[in-house]
């Protein structure tokens, strides 16, 4: 199995693990590894694998297994890579580490874009077009995620193309923050306003 095919197979498994549950959409969510609760300041406290974030009260947390979808706007189906769902995704160690594929184990490292690209994947903004991922990052670096923690930040160019000829209809950037020691990956394809600052102000427990 080629390197790119192996990575994409891993991401397919991660996406399957990310199907949301109805209970996770309720206020005051509290489940193993993830919790959130409202505060008087108009923000919610959201925790995941020791990373604690203060997010706007209007953002909704949907969690299943070792994956989280934080919905920040309109959303028809709160799942990673689902079309027409404004928000970002958080993946934990079990979703990206030592996933069994083809008789072996593959671990996400950030060297290739996080994308479950086995077959046609709808564009985030239009389910009638397809997601065409870029292979060369446009921006890389280290971004602070709370005191003492830095994430490997990568921005990947992507396109939306027609299904019957590959004509480009839109372009967008997938932003990734990968914390290799904590085994946490944050993915954003909607250019979520304020997300970078939310991560920068993270606390750890």
């Amino acid at each position: 199995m080629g390197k790119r095919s192996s990575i994409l197979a891993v991401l397919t498994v991660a996406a399957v693990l990310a199907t949301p549950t109805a209970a996770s959409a309720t206020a005051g969510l509290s489940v193993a590894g993830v919790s959130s609760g409202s505060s008087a300041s108009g923000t919610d406290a959201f925790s995941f694998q020791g990373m604690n974030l203060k997010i706007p009260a209007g953002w909704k947390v949907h969690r299943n297994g070792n994956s989280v979808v934080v919905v920040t706007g309109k959303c028809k189906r709160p799942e990673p890579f689902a079309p027409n769902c404004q928000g970002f995704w958080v993946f934990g160690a079990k979703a990206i580490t030592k996933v069994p594929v083809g008789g072996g184990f593959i671990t996400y490292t950030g060297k290739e874009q996080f994308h479950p690209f086995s077959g046609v994947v709808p564009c985030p903004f239009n389910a009638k077009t397809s997601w065409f991922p870029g292979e060369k990052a446009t921006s890389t670096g280290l971004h602070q995620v709370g005191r003492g923690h830095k994430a490997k930040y990568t921005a990947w160019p992507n396109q939306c193309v027609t299904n019957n000829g590959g004509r480009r209809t839109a372009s967008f950037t997938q932003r990734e923050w990968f914390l290799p020691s904590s085994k946490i990956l944050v993915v954003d394809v909607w250019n979520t306003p304020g997300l970078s600052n939310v991560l920068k102000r993270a606390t750890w427990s």
Side-chain angles (χ1 to χ4, degrees):
M1 179 181 294
K3 179 180 177 182
R4 180 171 176 79
S5 298
S6 298
I7 293 295
L8 299 180
V10 171
L11 305 182
T12 302
V13 174
V16 171
L17 293 174
T19 306
T21 60
S24 66
T26 60
L29 172 70
S30 181
V31 291
V34 179
S35 62
S36 65
S38 297
S39 68
S41 63
T43 61
D44 282 348
F46 165 50
S47 299
F48 183 83
Q49 290 186 185
M51 180 180 68
N52 309 304
L53 304 178
K54 287 186 178 181
I55 60 175
W59 293 7
K60 304 299 181 183
V61 178
H62 299 259
R63 189 263 194 188
N64 185 62
N66 203 220
S67 303
V68 175
V69 175
V70 181
V71 175
T72 62
K74 295 181 179 180
C75 182
K76 292 185 177 181
R77 190 175 81 250
E79 299 176 11
F81 299 96
N84 304 309
C85 183
Q86 294 178 329
F88 62 93
W89 319 313
V90 185
F91 299 94
K94 293 181 180 179
I96 64 175
T97 304
K98 293 184 178 179
V99 180
V101 176
F105 295 90
I106 300 297
T107 297
Y108 170 80
T109 63
K111 292 182 180 179
E112 295 192 48
Q113 183 174 184
F114 189 84
H115 190 76
F117 205 52
S118 59
V120 177
V121 177
C123 181
F125 324 115
N126 185 350
K128 295 182 179 180
T129 60
S130 299
W131 188 326
F132 187 81
E135 297 185 1
K136 185 176 181 180
T138 57
S139 179
T140 60
L142 294 177
H143 283 204
Q144 201 74 34
V145 182
R147 181 177 298 179
H149 291 75
K150 289 188 177 181
K152 178 182 179 181
Y153 173 81
T154 312
W156 300 91
N158 294 272
Q159 298 180 9
C160 298
V161 299
T162 56
N163 297 327
N164 59 354
R167 180 177 58 84
R168 187 178 71 176
T169 61
S171 59
F172 63 97
T173 299
Q174 175 165 304
R175 301 187 296 167
E176 300 177 359
W177 293 261
F178 178 46
L179 294 135
S181 297
S182 304
K183 297 296 188 295
I184 295 175
L185 173 65
V186 179
V187 180
D188 177 37
V189 299
W190 287 88
N191 194 26
T192 302
L195 177 56
S196 293
N197 286 332
V198 166
L199 295 174
K200 185 177 181 179
R201 293 194 297 267
T203 59
W204 292 85
S205 57

